[in-house]
Amino acid sequence: MRAEKNKITWWQYVFLIHGVQLGVGVFTLPRVVAEKSGTDGWIPIIIYWFLSTIASFFIIEVMKKYPDGTIVDLLEHYFGKWVGKAAMILFTIYFGLLTTVIYAREALFIQFWVLPGGQLVVIALLLAIPSFLIVRKNIVVLGRYSQLVFFFSVWMLLAYIIIMMNGQWLHLLPVLKEGWGPILKTVKTVALPFFGFEILIFIYPYLQNKEKAFLGAVTANTITMMVYLIVTIAAFVLLSPDELTVYQEPTIMMLKVLEFRFIERLEIPLFSLYLFTISTTVLPFMFLTVFCTSRLFGTQNHSRFVVFFLLFEVLYIIFFQPTFEKNTMIHQIAKKWGIAIAFALPLLLWGILLFQRSSTRGTF
Amino acid sequence: MCRILISAVVFFLTVFFSGCAGRNVPIENLTIPLVIGIDLDDNNNLIFLESSPVFNPDAKENNEIYKLEAKSIRESRKYFDALATGEITAAKIQVLLIGKKILEHENWFPILDTVYRNPNFSINTKVVMVDGSVEEVIFHTPQSKPQTGVFLIDAVNYNVKRTRNVDSTIHDFHRQMYEKGITPAIARVLKKGKNLKLAGIALLNEKGKYVDTLGIEESSMLLLFQDKKNEELTLSLPIQKLADEEGIFHKNEISMTINSSKTKIKTDYDDGKFRFSFKIYMMINIVERLFPEKSIKEDELKKLIEQELTSRFENLIKRFQENKIDPIGLGIRARAFEYKHYKKVEDYWPEAFAEADVDISVKVEINTLGAIK
């Protein structure tokens, strides 16, 4: 796959990565970090940011070795056709799994918070239509979409900033209540909220100006970290540390507290708008799934696969009847793969390629 | 071709499968309780009450009030549905009245579970204790006042604005019940003669049991402790030094509005005890004084006000400690500044607070003495 005309701008690249990172995870994030490390839970977020920035660095270092192709082309180039094919299958499964998990979760959240009378299948079907319209196009359309969604939904953070201003900041003290132990445990066990930067291995070749690739990854990670920090700290100052973990989705619940003269129950309109932000996670993953599948079958046109894949999603929801619990379980599996793909793989490749280069140099 | 197909599918789905199919109820057919009440009857059975406005123009009464026996809030809904004109929705409940009889028991809090579990409930509903029977309050239909629900919510809101009552939303109440370093404080209402009266604050212990009441003036002082002065605050006190000769016209009384106030609390731990030092600073305007100017000098007046306020604040703290409650939330400060020591007493914080040393110093500055001498 050579990418000559389908180039994305730097900003599209940044928002594509950020969009994939920021998704359904943010609803539960304050609770998840607080369960392990109490109101010190904002520290692991900064650690995650640091880790994902390092990992992005390695991914970009690896991708530089073969700047005009995706990771699959790179693997094919260095290790042969069959390694490439195998990697493609693995990537398809990984992205497919992630898409399925988030797609089902999105439908579940909509059902619980906005349409308690609606059927899951119907919600999934309705979600499928806009998904199809966007995913059947190319990466540039996805990039534009992510950028647009970011700018028209970023103001929602204001709600959390208002909450923060009226909160009880004493909840955050003392910093490092129980030392570093629980914080490191959080880093180890909790879902990596920065997941998503691994799409770099597929979108890197499409970037116009590759010199600023790393800067772009850092920018995207930093924006994501800021969003997470604002939401988490708002939850910590609004809710007592003893009560916070009672709420399943503190991020949505918090919006119920806000009340203006002209509007109550802010969580419903804001959550509905947030669906766009969730779609910037699902759609790139879906795109990558069908992109890998279509390459596996050797066709350039992937829109047929989008239909198949969406059909599969709907069937999955009909037959598997996802619940929050089942969904979380599959998510755990996807997470393990994610660690391998986002952290281990680039480091490994980087090591191998470094070794190869030095050994070839040695033969001269 | 594709476009036509997609629009056809969209049309089909939105028309036939919309999420709220069959739930688009016109407002006339909805019963929207503004007030719900929970109480115990004489045989200790739980009773539930609700009061909702009627939108039907044919109805003579503009309020629909029902009372029934049930085991839980959610269960009560089906019985209300059987009584009321239309579907009942919980989304607009403004006030939750809880009878004193319930609050005389410990651990009643799980009754409210559905309010937090079910996202349909508004969590800005005010929690109000009824000193007496909830039935009397909810069935109270005054001629000269708006509906009870509207009256109650207005009364609470205005008193919150004037720093006389706590803004005890159901969300805040949840926080106070769970937080180990604070005990709940909620508004209290009672029926006196023919009127409903919002009478200060009811203080509960950490298990939700009613222990004490604060009058209106004391409620303001509790809010000053928490440094939560709102838009306006007026305090009235007698100057003890001036004897009130006849006693009919309270000639030693002085009233002041508090322009600005700042409460600083220092938290320490020594000798196995927590120590809290309050420094309360106020800038006041005298708005009323019933004694002549020459009987007391400004400097002295300031001192006397400081003394009077200090002793009032101290008495209040003493009462909290005797009752083993901490409505100020000093436990939150103890956790923030003396975490190690707090962690040990966390589960019985009110007892630890009862033994704590509390120093109070009040500093008053008089901004103006008013328009006349």
Side-chain angles (χ1 to χ4, degrees):
Chain A
M1 179 236 19
R2 302 282 178 272
E4 273 90 32
K5 28 177 195 170
N6 294 337
K7 291 283 187 191
I8 50 174
T9 66
W10 188 74
W11 281 111
Q12 285 167 358
Y13 164 85
V14 167
F15 291 120
L16 208 56
I17 301 172
H18 164 71
V20 171
Q21 287 178 323
L22 185 67
V24 281
V26 73
F27 296 148
T28 49
L29 182 70
R31 167 175 62 84
V32 170
V33 290
E35 271 169 1
K36 287 266 166 13
S37 44
T39 46
D40 290 333
W42 55 274
I43 301 173
I45 293 179
I46 295 177
I47 298 178
Y48 286 142
W49 169 77
F50 187 65
L51 288 178
S52 58
T53 306
I54 292 179
S56 318
F57 173 76
F58 280 110
I59 293 181
I60 289 168
E61 280 302 300
V62 169
M63 296 308 293
K64 271 184 191 162
K65 306 272 195 263
Y66 197 75
D68 287 326
T70 64
I71 187 86
V72 181
D73 301 308
L74 183 140
L75 287 170
E76 251 177 37
H77 178 80
Y78 281 96
F79 304 100
K81 203 176 162 196
W82 290 107
V83 176
K85 278 256 190 294
M88 197 125 64
I89 294 172
L90 288 179
F91 285 133
T92 310
I93 299 174
Y94 170 66
F95 287 122
L97 201 64
L98 266 182
T99 316
T100 312
V101 169
I102 300 167
Y103 195 77
R105 183 149 272 225
E106 185 182 7
L108 281 167
F109 274 123
I110 298 176
Q111 189 190 32
F112 184 75
W113 284 96
V114 189
L115 300 172
Q119 281 184 23
L120 212 55
V121 184
V122 178
I123 296 170
L125 272 173
L126 287 170
L127 280 174
I129 297 162
S131 306
F132 170 72
L133 290 178
I134 292 172
V135 176
R136 77 195 171 103
K137 292 276 170 30
N138 53 28
I139 190 92
V140 181
V141 172
L142 276 171
R144 282 187 205 145
Y145 179 72
S146 293
Q147 190 171 9
L148 175 77
V149 168
F150 176 80
F151 283 115
F152 89 59
S153 55
V154 70
W155 60 271
M156 275 195 266
L157 277 177
L158 267 181
Y160 294 97
I161 291 170
I162 292 171
I163 290 173
M164 248 178 175
M165 288 193 305
N166 300 315
Q168 172 62 278
W169 285 80
L170 283 178
H171 289 160
L172 293 181
L173 287 174
V175 179
L176 292 181
K177 285 189 178 58
E178 308 283 348
W180 286 97
I183 291 169
L184 294 179
K185 229 181 254 170
T186 319
V187 175
K188 229 165 66 185
T189 55
V190 165
L192 291 168
F194 287 93
F195 259 20
F197 64 83
E198 70 268 24
I199 64 160
L200 269 173
I201 58 180
F202 280 95
I203 67 169
Y204 178 80
Y206 295 97
L207 180 61
Q208 266 169 9
N209 184 359
K210 294 202 172 53
E211 277 146 38
K212 290 202 289 180
F214 180 60
L215 187 69
V218 175
T219 313
N221 278 323
T222 310
I223 296 173
T224 312
M225 176 190 70
M226 292 308 286
V227 173
Y228 286 156
L229 269 187
I230 289 173
V231 170
T232 311
I233 290 180
F236 288 173
V237 298
L238 174 74
L239 305 167
S240 150
D242 298 325
E243 111 188 278
L244 176 69
T245 48
V246 172
Y247 294 110
Q248 297 275 10
E249 291 100 25
T251 309
I252 310 179
M253 200 291 296
M254 270 149 66
L255 296 174
K256 289 180 82 168
V257 178
L258 275 189
E259 208 176 48
F260 297 102
R261 262 177 180 271
F262 50 91
I263 192 166
E264 284 178 9
R265 307 292 303 273
L266 262 180
E267 83 273 13
I268 292 172
L270 286 193
F271 175 80
S272 310
L273 263 177
Y274 190 77
L275 292 180
F276 285 103
T277 308
I278 301 178
S279 72
T280 59
T281 309
V282 184
L283 300 184
F285 277 146
M286 199 182 286
F287 175 77
L288 290 179
T289 317
V290 293
F291 175 78
C292 286
T293 332
S294 63
R295 285 217 45 206
L296 207 57
F297 287 95
T299 51
Q300 281 294 321
N301 181 8
H302 64 266
S303 65
R304 209 158 10 115
F305 292 98
V306 181
V307 178
F308 289 144
F309 187 69
L310 284 168
L311 210 65
F312 165 77
E313 292 296 293
V314 173
L315 288 177
Y316 162 80
I317 284 172
I318 292 174
F319 290 108
F320 195 70
Q321 303 275 340
T323 61
F324 278 107
E325 216 169 307
K326 285 188 212 165
N327 197 261
T328 312
M329 226 168 59
I330 306 177
H331 206 171
Q332 297 297 333
I333 303 169
K335 208 176 10 176
K336 281 191 190 125
W337 281 56
I339 294 175
I341 287 175
F343 293 96
L345 179 77
L347 211 60
L348 194 73
L349 280 177
W350 184 74
I352 292 174
L353 294 179
L354 200 73
F355 179 73
Q356 255 189 0
R357 203 176 56 182
S358 59
S359 63
T360 45
R361 196 174 288 160
T363 55
F364 279 108
Chain B
M1 166 60 204
C2 195
R3 217 161 264 196
I4 294 172
L5 189 74
I6 287 170
S7 6
V9 172
V10 171
F11 179 79
F12 179 74
L13 280 171
T14 42
V15 170
F16 294 101
F17 291 105
S18 64
C20 295
R23 296 185 56 164
N24 44 350
V25 190
I27 194 164
E28 298 83 17
N29 297 343
L30 268 182
T31 302
I32 306 171
L34 295 182
V35 187
I36 62 168
I38 312 173
D39 205 353
L40 289 176
D41 68 6
D42 295 334
N43 303 322
N44 273 344
N45 296 316
L46 267 180
I47 52 173
F48 293 86
L49 302 103
E50 64 99 354
S51 157
S52 37
V54 176
F55 298 106
N56 196 323
D58 297 332
K60 284 215 180 67
E61 294 253 344
N62 59 1
N63 239 350
E64 227 183 332
I65 308 169
Y66 299 108
K67 169 195 164 190
L68 52 85
E69 229 176 80
K71 290 196 196 80
S72 68
I73 295 182
R74 185 65 181 193
E75 199 211 6
S76 76
R77 196 184 80 156
K78 64 183 172 209
Y79 303 125
F80 281 129
D81 266 341
L83 287 168
T85 12
E87 262 182 75
I88 277 210
T89 159
K92 295 281 173 272
I93 298 172
Q94 302 289 305
V95 181
L96 170 69
L97 295 171
I98 300 177
K100 192 178 174 185
K101 269 190 185 160
I102 287 188
L103 295 179
E104 277 165 354
H105 296 269
E106 282 183 353
N107 299 330
W108 57 274
F109 186 60
I111 307 179
L112 297 185
D113 184 84
T114 185
V115 176
Y116 303 107
R117 194 175 298 279
N118 182 347
N120 285 341
F121 274 86
S122 156
I123 54 171
N124 288 319
T125 306
K126 310 274 179 204
V127 186
V128 178
M129 179 187 98
V130 177
D131 205 341
S133 117
V134 176
E135 195 178 338
E136 266 184 19
V137 171
I138 226 166
F139 278 94
H140 178 67
T141 41
Q143 300 298 318
S144 60
K145 275 185 192 158
Q147 292 166 354
T148 311
V150 179
F151 163 72
L152 280 173
I153 192 90
D154 282 352
V156 172
N157 281 340
Y158 283 110
N159 278 291
V160 167
K161 245 185 208 171
R162 301 205 153 173
T163 325
R164 283 182 210 135
N165 217 318
V166 282
D167 192 9
S168 54
T169 62
I170 202 153
H171 163 256
D172 230 25
F173 186 61
H174 188 268
R175 184 175 63 81
Q176 294 173 351
M177 286 301 291
Y178 271 88
E179 168 67 64
K180 289 168 182 160
I182 197 170
T183 58
I186 55 178
R188 164 175 173 260
V189 75
L190 51 86
K191 193 178 176 192
K192 206 166 193 189
K194 280 189 172 175
N195 285 314
L196 288 185
K197 184 175 150 197
L198 189 72
I201 293 174
L203 299 174
L204 315 180
N205 72 8
E206 75 277 12
K207 286 179 179 133
K209 189 179 169 193
Y210 167 79
V211 276
D212 200 4
T213 314
L214 293 183
I216 292 171
E217 194 94 11
E218 292 162 327
S219 305
S220 300
M221 300 182 83
L222 171 64
L223 289 159
L224 279 175
F225 270 136
Q226 295 175 326
D227 205 6
K228 277 190 186 156
K229 181 193 160 278
N230 214 321
E231 280 170 26
E232 196 201 303
L233 168 57
T234 305
L235 292 176
S236 302
L237 4 128
I239 296 300
Q240 302 290 4
K241 196 192 153 209
L242 297 172
D244 186 12
E245 288 135 27
E246 288 165 32
I248 304 172
F249 299 114
H250 305 292
K251 285 212 183 132
N252 55 3
E253 192 74 12
I254 187 164
S255 298
M256 55 223 178
T257 60
I258 300 192
N259 245 0
S260 63
S261 78
K262 182 83 206 139
T263 306
K264 283 191 180 152
I265 311 171
K266 213 168 147 260
T267 313
D268 281 314
Y269 184 88
D270 50 24
D271 280 354
K273 274 182 182 175
F274 284 94
R275 174 192 290 277
F276 299 100
S277 321
F278 283 86
K279 279 207 172 64
I280 304 172
Y281 166 84
M282 292 177 200
M283 173 81 97
I284 62 171
N285 290 340
I286 309 283
V287 285
E288 182 177 62
R289 73 185 224 188
L290 302 183
F291 47 88
E293 186 211 356
K294 59 185 176 219
S295 64
I296 230 161
K297 282 191 190 117
E298 197 180 322
D299 281 356
E300 204 185 351
L301 182 68
K302 206 173 92 177
K303 280 238 166 65
L304 289 169
I305 292 173
E306 281 172 4
Q307 270 172 22
E308 178 66 26
L309 283 172
T310 310
S311 81
R312 285 189 175 204
F313 278 123
E314 276 168 355
N315 286 339
L316 204 56
I317 289 278
K318 223 174 271 169
R319 245 169 80 193
F320 293 159
Q321 290 186 322
E322 274 164 22
N323 287 320
K324 295 200 170 136
I325 46 174
D326 175 15
I328 308 170
L330 290 171
I332 297 171
R333 302 194 68 83
R335 182 179 52 219
F337 299 113
E338 294 291 337
Y339 184 71
K340 268 185 203 142
H341 303 293
Y342 172 78
K343 201 71 195 163
K344 281 178 217 146
V345 297
E346 184 181 52
D347 291 325
Y348 40 98
W349 167 250
E351 269 121 82
F353 169 65
E355 283 163 17
D357 288 327
V358 183
D359 303 325
I360 291 161
S361 80
V362 181
K363 198 161 162 23
V364 168
E365 223 159 288
I366 299 176
N367 188 26
T368 149
L369 291 167
I372 54 170
K373 269 198 171 175

PDB file of all heavy atoms in Angstrom, chain B residues 244-263:
ATOM      1  N   ASP B 244     -30.572  44.931  80.477  1.00  0.00           N
ATOM      2  CA  ASP B 244     -31.839  45.197  79.820  1.00  0.00           C
ATOM      3  C   ASP B 244     -32.858  45.463  80.918  1.00  0.00           C
ATOM      4  O   ASP B 244     -33.403  44.551  81.514  1.00  0.00           O
ATOM      5  CB  ASP B 244     -32.216  43.980  78.982  1.00  0.00           C
ATOM      6  CG  ASP B 244     -33.452  44.244  78.159  1.00  0.00           C
ATOM      7  OD1 ASP B 244     -33.858  45.419  78.080  1.00  0.00           O
ATOM      8  OD2 ASP B 244     -33.988  43.289  77.612  1.00  0.00           O
ATOM      9  N   GLU B 245     -33.061  46.792  81.175  1.00  0.00           N
ATOM     10  CA  GLU B 245     -33.767  47.141  82.401  1.00  0.00           C
ATOM     11  C   GLU B 245     -35.195  46.611  82.450  1.00  0.00           C
ATOM     12  O   GLU B 245     -35.581  45.878  83.349  1.00  0.00           O
ATOM     13  CB  GLU B 245     -33.778  48.665  82.592  1.00  0.00           C
ATOM     14  CG  GLU B 245     -32.426  49.212  82.979  1.00  0.00           C
ATOM     15  CD  GLU B 245     -32.094  50.456  82.178  1.00  0.00           C
ATOM     16  OE1 GLU B 245     -33.031  51.152  81.746  1.00  0.00           O
ATOM     17  OE2 GLU B 245     -30.894  50.713  81.959  1.00  0.00           O
ATOM     18  N   GLU B 246     -35.963  46.981  81.457  1.00  0.00           N
ATOM     19  CA  GLU B 246     -37.359  46.582  81.529  1.00  0.00           C
ATOM     20  C   GLU B 246     -37.591  45.204  80.933  1.00  0.00           C
ATOM     21  O   GLU B 246     -38.449  44.452  81.358  1.00  0.00           O
ATOM     22  CB  GLU B 246     -38.238  47.603  80.810  1.00  0.00           C
ATOM     23  CG  GLU B 246     -38.329  48.894  81.595  1.00  0.00           C
ATOM     24  CD  GLU B 246     -38.871  50.006  80.735  1.00  0.00           C
ATOM     25  OE1 GLU B 246     -39.696  49.717  79.846  1.00  0.00           O
ATOM     26  OE2 GLU B 246     -38.457  51.157  80.929  1.00  0.00           O
ATOM     27  N   GLY B 247     -36.795  44.898  79.912  1.00  0.00           N
ATOM     28  CA  GLY B 247     -36.899  43.557  79.353  1.00  0.00           C
ATOM     29  C   GLY B 247     -37.990  43.398  78.312  1.00  0.00           C
ATOM     30  O   GLY B 247     -38.122  42.346  77.716  1.00  0.00           O
ATOM     31  N   ILE B 248     -38.773  44.476  78.115  1.00  0.00           N
ATOM     32  CA  ILE B 248     -39.822  44.317  77.099  1.00  0.00           C
ATOM     33  C   ILE B 248     -39.280  44.653  75.722  1.00  0.00           C
ATOM     34  O   ILE B 248     -39.504  43.946  74.756  1.00  0.00           O
ATOM     35  CB  ILE B 248     -41.023  45.234  77.415  1.00  0.00           C
ATOM     36  CG1 ILE B 248     -41.530  44.921  78.814  1.00  0.00           C
ATOM     37  CG2 ILE B 248     -42.131  45.045  76.381  1.00  0.00           C
ATOM     38  CD1 ILE B 248     -42.583  45.886  79.302  1.00  0.00           C
ATOM     39  N   PHE B 249     -38.493  45.735  75.657  1.00  0.00           N
ATOM     40  CA  PHE B 249     -38.084  46.209  74.340  1.00  0.00           C
ATOM     41  C   PHE B 249     -36.663  45.804  73.973  1.00  0.00           C
ATOM     42  O   PHE B 249     -36.116  46.287  73.012  1.00  0.00           O
ATOM     43  CB  PHE B 249     -38.251  47.723  74.262  1.00  0.00           C
ATOM     44  CG  PHE B 249     -39.673  48.129  74.465  1.00  0.00           C
ATOM     45  CD1 PHE B 249     -40.059  48.861  75.574  1.00  0.00           C
ATOM     46  CD2 PHE B 249     -40.638  47.731  73.544  1.00  0.00           C
ATOM     47  CE1 PHE B 249     -41.374  49.213  75.752  1.00  0.00           C
ATOM     48  CE2 PHE B 249     -41.959  48.083  73.729  1.00  0.00           C
ATOM     49  CZ  PHE B 249     -42.346  48.825  74.846  1.00  0.00           C
ATOM     50  N   HIS B 250     -36.050  44.938  74.726  1.00  0.00           N
ATOM     51  CA  HIS B 250     -34.716  44.418  74.400  1.00  0.00           C
ATOM     52  C   HIS B 250     -33.755  45.530  74.043  1.00  0.00           C
ATOM     53  O   HIS B 250     -33.235  45.596  72.938  1.00  0.00           O
ATOM     54  CB  HIS B 250     -34.798  43.397  73.254  1.00  0.00           C
ATOM     55  CG  HIS B 250     -35.751  42.300  73.528  1.00  0.00           C
ATOM     56  ND1 HIS B 250     -35.530  41.354  74.490  1.00  0.00           N
ATOM     57  CD2 HIS B 250     -36.954  42.006  72.989  1.00  0.00           C
ATOM     58  CE1 HIS B 250     -36.542  40.519  74.526  1.00  0.00           C
ATOM     59  NE2 HIS B 250     -37.428  40.886  73.637  1.00  0.00           N
ATOM     60  N   LYS B 251     -33.525  46.441  74.984  1.00  0.00           N
ATOM     61  CA  LYS B 251     -32.754  47.624  74.629  1.00  0.00           C
ATOM     62  C   LYS B 251     -31.263  47.368  74.485  1.00  0.00           C
ATOM     63  O   LYS B 251     -30.499  48.285  74.248  1.00  0.00           O
ATOM     64  CB  LYS B 251     -32.995  48.720  75.669  1.00  0.00           C
ATOM     65  CG  LYS B 251     -34.346  49.344  75.491  1.00  0.00           C
ATOM     66  CD  LYS B 251     -34.314  50.792  75.889  1.00  0.00           C
ATOM     67  CE  LYS B 251     -35.702  51.401  75.778  1.00  0.00           C
ATOM     68  NZ  LYS B 251     -36.062  52.161  76.965  1.00  0.00           N
ATOM     69  N   ASN B 252     -30.816  46.150  74.688  1.00  0.00           N
ATOM     70  CA  ASN B 252     -29.383  45.912  74.472  1.00  0.00           C
ATOM     71  C   ASN B 252     -29.117  45.163  73.170  1.00  0.00           C
ATOM     72  O   ASN B 252     -28.045  44.664  72.931  1.00  0.00           O
ATOM     73  CB  ASN B 252     -28.777  45.148  75.647  1.00  0.00           C
ATOM     74  CG  ASN B 252     -29.525  43.863  75.900  1.00  0.00           C
ATOM     75  OD1 ASN B 252     -30.446  43.535  75.169  1.00  0.00           O
ATOM     76  ND2 ASN B 252     -29.125  43.146  76.935  1.00  0.00           N
ATOM     77  N   GLU B 253     -30.082  45.130  72.310  1.00  0.00           N
ATOM     78  CA  GLU B 253     -29.967  44.318  71.091  1.00  0.00           C
ATOM     79  C   GLU B 253     -29.206  45.076  69.993  1.00  0.00           C
ATOM     80  O   GLU B 253     -29.358  46.285  69.828  1.00  0.00           O
ATOM     81  CB  GLU B 253     -31.379  43.970  70.612  1.00  0.00           C
ATOM     82  CG  GLU B 253     -31.444  42.921  69.542  1.00  0.00           C
ATOM     83  CD  GLU B 253     -31.168  41.515  70.050  1.00  0.00           C
ATOM     84  OE1 GLU B 253     -31.132  41.296  71.277  1.00  0.00           O
ATOM     85  OE2 GLU B 253     -30.977  40.644  69.206  1.00  0.00           O
ATOM     86  N   ILE B 254     -28.392  44.328  69.257  1.00  0.00           N
ATOM     87  CA  ILE B 254     -27.703  44.928  68.117  1.00  0.00           C
ATOM     88  C   ILE B 254     -27.775  43.959  66.936  1.00  0.00           C
ATOM     89  O   ILE B 254     -27.711  42.748  67.127  1.00  0.00           O
ATOM     90  CB  ILE B 254     -26.241  45.268  68.485  1.00  0.00           C
ATOM     91  CG1 ILE B 254     -25.570  46.046  67.359  1.00  0.00           C
ATOM     92  CG2 ILE B 254     -25.427  44.031  68.785  1.00  0.00           C
ATOM     93  CD1 ILE B 254     -24.303  46.730  67.816  1.00  0.00           C
ATOM     94  N   SER B 255     -27.962  44.479  65.741  1.00  0.00           N
ATOM     95  CA  SER B 255     -27.998  43.610  64.555  1.00  0.00           C
ATOM     96  C   SER B 255     -26.957  44.075  63.557  1.00  0.00           C
ATOM     97  O   SER B 255     -26.718  45.266  63.415  1.00  0.00           O
ATOM     98  CB  SER B 255     -29.359  43.676  63.859  1.00  0.00           C
ATOM     99  OG  SER B 255     -30.350  43.230  64.722  1.00  0.00           O
ATOM    100  N   MET B 256     -26.354  43.119  62.885  1.00  0.00           N
ATOM    101  CA  MET B 256     -25.360  43.516  61.896  1.00  0.00           C
ATOM    102  C   MET B 256     -25.430  42.604  60.686  1.00  0.00           C
ATOM    103  O   MET B 256     -25.771  41.432  60.792  1.00  0.00           O
ATOM    104  CB  MET B 256     -23.965  43.441  62.499  1.00  0.00           C
ATOM    105  CG  MET B 256     -23.662  42.097  63.074  1.00  0.00           C
ATOM    106  SD  MET B 256     -22.841  42.320  64.649  1.00  0.00           S
ATOM    107  CE  MET B 256     -22.628  40.646  65.153  1.00  0.00           C
ATOM    108  N   THR B 257     -25.127  43.163  59.537  1.00  0.00           N
ATOM    109  CA  THR B 257     -24.963  42.311  58.362  1.00  0.00           C
ATOM    110  C   THR B 257     -23.474  42.064  58.211  1.00  0.00           C
ATOM    111  O   THR B 257     -22.655  42.920  58.539  1.00  0.00           O
ATOM    112  CB  THR B 257     -25.461  42.977  57.069  1.00  0.00           C
ATOM    113  OG1 THR B 257     -24.706  44.163  56.873  1.00  0.00           O
ATOM    114  CG2 THR B 257     -26.919  43.292  57.136  1.00  0.00           C
ATOM    115  N   ILE B 258     -23.159  40.892  57.729  1.00  0.00           N
ATOM    116  CA  ILE B 258     -21.750  40.547  57.577  1.00  0.00           C
ATOM    117  C   ILE B 258     -21.352  40.759  56.136  1.00  0.00           C
ATOM    118  O   ILE B 258     -21.864  40.126  55.230  1.00  0.00           O
ATOM    119  CB  ILE B 258     -21.528  39.112  58.054  1.00  0.00           C
ATOM    120  CG1 ILE B 258     -21.960  39.130  59.499  1.00  0.00           C
ATOM    121  CG2 ILE B 258     -20.089  38.683  57.832  1.00  0.00           C
ATOM    122  CD1 ILE B 258     -21.651  38.044  60.339  1.00  0.00           C
ATOM    123  N   ASN B 259     -20.494  41.743  55.969  1.00  0.00           N
ATOM    124  CA  ASN B 259     -20.054  42.113  54.632  1.00  0.00           C
ATOM    125  C   ASN B 259     -19.249  41.016  53.989  1.00  0.00           C
ATOM    126  O   ASN B 259     -19.499  40.592  52.876  1.00  0.00           O
ATOM    127  CB  ASN B 259     -19.134  43.320  54.762  1.00  0.00           C
ATOM    128  CG  ASN B 259     -19.727  44.520  54.109  1.00  0.00           C
ATOM    129  OD1 ASN B 259     -20.823  44.415  53.578  1.00  0.00           O
ATOM    130  ND2 ASN B 259     -19.044  45.628  54.160  1.00  0.00           N
ATOM    131  N   SER B 260     -18.227  40.622  54.742  1.00  0.00           N
ATOM    132  CA  SER B 260     -17.410  39.531  54.235  1.00  0.00           C
ATOM    133  C   SER B 260     -16.898  38.792  55.450  1.00  0.00           C
ATOM    134  O   SER B 260     -16.781  39.364  56.523  1.00  0.00           O
ATOM    135  CB  SER B 260     -16.245  40.075  53.422  1.00  0.00           C
ATOM    136  OG  SER B 260     -15.414  40.835  54.247  1.00  0.00           O
ATOM    137  N   SER B 261     -16.656  37.539  55.277  1.00  0.00           N
ATOM    138  CA  SER B 261     -16.117  36.787  56.401  1.00  0.00           C
ATOM    139  C   SER B 261     -15.140  35.759  55.869  1.00  0.00           C
ATOM    140  O   SER B 261     -15.224  35.344  54.714  1.00  0.00           O
ATOM    141  CB  SER B 261     -17.240  36.092  57.168  1.00  0.00           C
ATOM    142  OG  SER B 261     -17.637  34.946  56.478  1.00  0.00           O
ATOM    143  N   LYS B 262     -14.209  35.415  56.729  1.00  0.00           N
ATOM    144  CA  LYS B 262     -13.200  34.447  56.303  1.00  0.00           C
ATOM    145  C   LYS B 262     -12.910  33.559  57.513  1.00  0.00           C
ATOM    146  O   LYS B 262     -12.655  34.060  58.610  1.00  0.00           O
ATOM    147  CB  LYS B 262     -11.937  35.205  55.868  1.00  0.00           C
ATOM    148  CG  LYS B 262     -10.830  34.332  55.356  1.00  0.00           C
ATOM    149  CD  LYS B 262     -11.046  33.987  53.889  1.00  0.00           C
ATOM    150  CE  LYS B 262     -10.348  32.665  53.601  1.00  0.00           C
ATOM    151  NZ  LYS B 262     -11.101  31.778  52.754  1.00  0.00           N
ATOM    152  N   THR B 263     -12.999  32.280  57.339  1.00  0.00           N
ATOM    153  CA  THR B 263     -12.708  31.373  58.438  1.00  0.00           C
ATOM    154  C   THR B 263     -11.452  30.597  58.111  1.00  0.00           C
ATOM    155  O   THR B 263     -11.373  29.955  57.065  1.00  0.00           O
ATOM    156  CB  THR B 263     -13.872  30.396  58.643  1.00  0.00           C
ATOM    157  OG1 THR B 263     -15.055  31.153  58.799  1.00  0.00           O
ATOM    158  CG2 THR B 263     -13.653  29.526  59.854  1.00  0.00           C
TER     159      THR B 263
END
